Amino acid sequence: MSLPPATGAVELGSFKQHVIRLLTQSKRLDGRPFDSIRVPHILYENRQDTKINRVLASTLYTDDTGTCVNCIVTGVFGPPPPQHPEEGRLTVEVTAPFFPGYSAFQIEGTLHELARFVRSTIISCLDLTELCVISGEACWVLRVELIVMNADGGLRAATLHAAVAALHNLTLPKARLPSGDVVESRCLCFHRIPVAATIGLCGTAGSMQFLLDTNAAEESVADVLLTVVIDETDGIVSFLHHGRFPLLLPHLTDAIDMVASHGAALRSAILKSSNLPQ
Amino acid sequence: MKQNGGRETPDGVRYPHIALDVLGQCHSSACVELGNTRVICAVHHPQQLVDEYRGSRGRVACTVRRSASAGSHAAGSAQPSVVTPEKDMSLALEGVAEEVVILEKIPQLLVEVVVEILAEDGGVWDAVATSMSAALVSGGFEMYDLFSACGSALLSDGAVVLDPDAAEESNAQASALVCLMLNSGDICYARHQGSCEPGTVLELVSSAMKGCLSRKSAITTQLINHPIL
């Protein structure tokens, strides 16, 4: 479940063999150690005509090797969902327009899975009742659109970090309902802030190698892929595992500890810019 | 009288800011900002055409996609429809590219161009044409000329403004758009919408041509100063 790596003019099979050969020598393509992460950088954008475009927040997520995700949050008023009248609505869309057209069918399932993952993780960390305006009648409908400009592995973590950076401390503006009621300005806050990382496992000669924060080439050769999402207290928010063979419990706990050791760095990188204006 | 968006005169245009090679996975790419309008254009690696298109000329296929939060009118749409203004724009851009790119130099190759409109405040055609021209140039495709586009609008008070923004476009009685080559001045694409007298149409088109040519030095300077080109 990953977007195909950008191999340039090299055939994908030869590229995989090259990556496998590097991994047997305990090397990675970008020269990182096996237990290091690519620290994200978040660029915030303050557009001048926010009222016209309904854009509430816009962030650009990048890391050192080229993953680039643009997150745009728009908000309108709408009716609440019938099964939860006291909650607001949150929709997430993930698009990757800059991939070649012949792989559009291949990556569509990946993007849908990404959107479901980001939405479920955000809903578990965000109180949707804060988006309620009038119970049963009106609520904020937030639309999070994630545009994957460049993909270099770790897409779940990248899209989740971009969305969390855009939604944390988001100011819902003062607005007027069609009925004439004035809705006051409100600040959206997470009650726990999730950070995520993708871990790849390669089984070579019976020994298990952990690759923290895999890139696209490593994801194409890894036997097992894990995505771990934790909060500030190192509680597990979400855990995804898929691969060719099952894992034992010590492998899972080692993976969680590996992500937890970098949780503070990831969280400060995501929320660093939003603390400065306050 | 100050126009919307702070431009001083009705003949003023917003000058584009061009950034080349912004995407790592494409053959070439360009990002163009024109005021509050932002567009990213990507050119994929050329691929072999399939059998029924084999011939002595290559092909340029164009796809234009609008971000759902780019414009205010698009944010409310529930389902993406089949016929969209972006489809019209992509077909027109394919025609423009066929005129500008020397297709005999790339026989039996398909060049796929993807344009993503990230933010929109009028002048979308201007930004899209400029970004496509910059992306094709930085990709090394041989072209007869650079191309760009400019629009003009007839406001309700009878004034002809150049490079209208979103508010002026929506309130205009008539609007015209011209896409032309920057050095030779040949017109690749022209469009007129609305209702007005024939003399005003000529005035709108000539204003758009002047606005397009006034951006020529800004575009060529940014492309020449790029370290790759």
Side-chain angles (χ1 to χ4, degrees), chain B residues 44-166:
Chain B
H44 292 303
H45 302 280
Q47 35 179 318
Q48 180 79 42
L49 277 166
V50 293
D51 283 333
E52 48 264 31
Y53 293 102
R54 197 178 295 263
S56 61
R57 280 161 50 105
R59 264 193 71 217
V60 178
C62 185
T63 304
V64 177
R65 212 196 78 95
R66 183 191 303 264
S67 170
S69 39
S72 58
H73 63 278
S77 62
Q79 289 290 333
S81 59
V82 178
V83 181
T84 54
E86 290 81 51
K87 182 70 99 175
D88 290 337
M89 188 187 287
S90 62
L91 288 174
L93 282 169
E94 283 184 18
V96 171
E98 282 179 13
E99 294 300 317
V100 179
V101 181
I102 307 178
L103 298 175
E104 287 81 12
K105 296 286 185 174
I106 47 170
Q108 302 181 19
L109 285 184
L110 171 68
V111 180
E112 195 180 345
V113 182
V114 179
V115 182
E116 175 90 8
I117 303 168
L118 291 175
E120 179 187 358
D121 187 25
V124 174
W125 247 99
D126 316 17
V128 168
T130 308
S131 66
M132 189 170 169
S133 177
L136 288 170
V137 161
S138 68
F141 299 98
E142 296 198 31
M143 293 159 67
Y144 294 106
D145 208 335
L146 292 172
F147 63 96
S148 186
C150 192
S152 61
L154 176 72
L155 299 183
S156 51
D157 55 355
V160 172
V161 296
L162 204 46
D163 190 14
D165 56 6

Side-chain angles (χ1 to χ4, degrees), chain A residues 22-64:
Chain A
L22 285 182
L23 291 178
T24 53
Q25 304 170 17
S26 299
K27 294 177 186 174
R28 300 176 85 169
L29 264 184
D30 45 9
R32 284 187 289 140
F34 275 18
D35 56 350
S36 75
I37 56 169
R38 299 169 288 184
V39 180
H41 305 283
I42 303 288
L43 298 177
Y44 288 86
E45 176 188 359
N46 295 315
R47 290 186 189 174
Q48 304 166 11
D49 51 351
T50 312
K51 299 176 182 176
I52 303 176
N53 283 342
R54 307 180 199 173
V55 174
L56 303 181
S58 180
T59 57
L60 191 74
Y61 169 100
T62 55
D63 57 24
D64 291 334

Side-chain angles (χ1 to χ4, degrees), chain B residues 191-205:
Chain B
R191 187 191 69 193
H192 169 257
Q193 284 176 334
S195 175
C196 61
E197 296 174 356
T200 314
V201 178
L202 293 182
E203 190 183 349
L204 286 171
V205 171

